[in-house]
């Protein structure tokens, strides 16, 4: 139980350090990398859409 807490603490510490002391340089780079990778996928990037198979008004 101790190791997962240590890992979570390190990740949170890294994110806080990057956000406040490093102006978000690392997290911005990771977000940009994911965005570029998603654009290179066959379907491209599309915003998430919630759809319902059943119309709740027509019971």
């Amino acid at each position: 139980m101790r190791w997962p807490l240590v890992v979570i603490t390190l990740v949170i510490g890294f994110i806080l350090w990057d956000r406040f002391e490093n102006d978000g340089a690392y997290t911005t780079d990771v977000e940009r990398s994911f965005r570029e990778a998603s654009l290179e996928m066959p379907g491209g990037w599309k915003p998430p859409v919630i759809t319902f198979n059943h119309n709740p008004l027509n019971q």
Side-chain angles (χ1 to χ4, degrees):
M1 183 67 182
R2 190 177 302 174
W3 281 109
L5 292 176
V6 169
V7 171
I8 291 170
T9 303
L10 289 174
V11 168
I12 290 173
F14 173 76
I15 291 171
L16 289 175
W17 168 80
D18 184 49
R19 183 69 60 194
F20 294 115
E21 296 295 325
N22 202 24
D23 296 327
Y26 288 108
T27 53
T28 302
D29 192 37
V30 169
E31 290 171 2
R32 183 182 50 79
S33 173
F34 274 102
R35 194 174 306 115
E36 288 176 357
S38 68
L39 290 174
E40 292 176 1
M41 295 176 75
W45 183 85
K46 297 176 185 153
V49 177
I50 298 174
T51 58
F52 296 98
N53 292 333
H54 174 70
N55 187 354
L57 299 177
N58 294 339
Q59 295 180 351

